[in-house]
Amino acid sequence: MRTFFLFILLIGGLASFIKKPDPVSIIFDTDIAPDYDDIGALAMLHAFADRGEAEILATISCNVFKTTVPTLSVINTYFNRPGIPIGITKAAKPYHPCERLYAEHIIANYPHTVKSNDEATDAVKLYRKMLSSQPDKSVTIVTVGFFTNLANLLDSSPDEYSSFSGQQLVARF
């Protein structure tokens, strides 16, 4: 019996030396609004963040439905992260009307700080700002939707955030 307790103490002592891995830094790029699979994906990211396994650097949309940015703000606020930066493509027009009423419902019934798409940062600028402020090989981009923002990022030129072109900046990650 004594050997068993010594074994348990040894295992417990060794466990205290095992370093928990650093959280994965995530930029979430979504076409949120016309459907709700993106809400599930973002909720999972927030659950990973709650467990210390992820850090959500930004949420970015590749469409411009009027409910897009407020919906992202509702979700980030619901999960106690209202300060996550939100970006949206500024060059696109909606490709069809958003007929999903869930977005209007949650915007009307849940708190959020960002009320319109106009309040969000340009997607490429936000990508460039976030990527340039992180260490090399440290960011994972999760895309649920179109690759519009990523294509525009790759085509981007040096700016106030980085002297790298978009391709050079992405190559660092």
Side-chain angles (χ1 to χ4, degrees):
M1 186 61 108
R2 183 175 177 198
T3 305
F4 175 74
F5 286 118
L6 287 174
F7 177 74
I8 296 299
L9 287 174
L10 177 65
I11 295 297
L14 289 176
S16 67
F17 289 105
I18 298 172
K19 184 181 181 290
K20 186 176 180 181
D22 292 333
V24 177
S25 297
I26 303 282
I27 296 175
F28 183 69
D29 194 324
T30 174
D31 66 346
I32 201 161
D35 47 29
Y36 33 80
D37 60 319
D38 307 69
I39 290 179
L42 186 52
M44 288 176 57
L45 284 178
H46 279 287
F48 290 134
D50 288 345
R51 293 173 46 155
E53 297 174 2
E55 177 186 6
I56 306 169
L57 300 176
T59 52
I60 301 176
S61 178
C62 61
N63 75 47
V64 292
F65 295 119
K66 70 178 183 174
T67 58
T68 298
V69 169
T71 299
L72 289 171
S73 183
V74 165
I75 297 165
N76 292 339
T77 301
Y78 180 83
F79 286 100
N80 298 314
R81 293 182 183 84
I84 293 175
I86 299 174
I88 190 167
T89 182
K90 297 289 186 170
K93 301 282 186 237
Y95 59 91
H96 60 77
C98 183
E99 298 172 359
R100 304 292 189 224
L101 298 180
Y102 83 88
E104 287 87 349
H105 178 78
I106 65 172
I107 291 166
N109 292 290
Y110 290 90
H112 56 288
T113 56
V114 186
K115 305 294 184 185
S116 77
N117 291 354
D118 293 336
E119 296 177 48
T121 303
D122 174 74
V124 172
K125 283 195 170 292
L126 186 53
Y127 260 121
R128 292 185 62 82
K129 180 179 180 181
M130 291 294 120
L131 290 174
S132 66
S133 68
Q134 300 299 311
D136 289 357
K137 309 291 183 207
S138 67
V139 176
T140 299
I141 297 171
V142 175
T143 303
V144 182
F146 306 108
F147 296 110
T148 308
N149 293 328
L150 291 174
N152 292 339
L153 172 62
L154 289 170
D155 287 341
S156 67
S157 301
D159 61 6
E160 68 268 28
Y161 301 113
S162 175
S163 60
F164 293 117
S165 71
Q167 289 182 13
Q168 292 168 324
L169 190 59
V170 170
R172 292 179 52 218
F173 297 94

